[in-house]
Each structure stands twice: as C-alpha cells, then as structure tokens.
Amino acid sequence: MPNIHGTYTLTEAAHEIGVTSAFINRIQKETGIGGEIGIKGRLAAFSKDDVEVFKRIKILRMLGFRF
C-alpha cells in the first residue's frame, strides 16, 4: 500500500508484488527500471507505475524470460 505521497518503499513494493527486495534490486541493477538504487540512510521510493512494471517483469520471469 503506498504512502500519502503515492510512493512505495522497497519493502512495500516487494510485498505488493510478492517478491523479495533482492529481486527488485536486481531488476534495477540489470535494467535501470525503477530509478536509482537506494543508498544507505535514504529510502528508495517507487511509484505505482514502477510497481506495475515490476509485476510484469515477475510474470515474464515466471514464463522463463531472462533479464
């Protein structure tokens, strides 16, 4: 569930999609989707659109597609 600003933290996004935080970090590292990877002391924030893209990538991964 997004916060009042309509953004998700890394943990919230992972929970919404049903994946681990490491999965989202790998997507970001490999594809650049979802903005910059959060740095220590600063939370990563994801929009609703980012979460929808991550959901689609999860489905593609389940079907056997690679990054």
Side-chain angles (χ1 to χ4, degrees), residues 12-66:
E12 291 168 341
H15 184 267
E16 180 78 18
I17 300 164
V19 297
T20 64
S21 298
F23 180 83
I24 293 176
N25 284 335
R26 181 159 182 221
I27 291 170
Q28 288 182 283
K29 183 178 178 185
E30 297 287 329
T31 65
I33 295 171
E36 295 182 23
I37 295 174
I39 56 175
K40 188 174 182 179
R42 182 174 164 218
L43 292 175
F46 302 98
S47 69
K48 291 179 184 180
D49 291 337
D50 291 335
V51 172
E52 288 301 316
V53 170
F54 293 145
K55 285 179 183 179
R56 290 183 184 124
I57 291 172
K58 176 187 172 187
I59 292 168
L60 292 171
R61 291 290 294 147
M62 291 171 63
L63 294 172
F65 288 87
R66 296 181 160 274

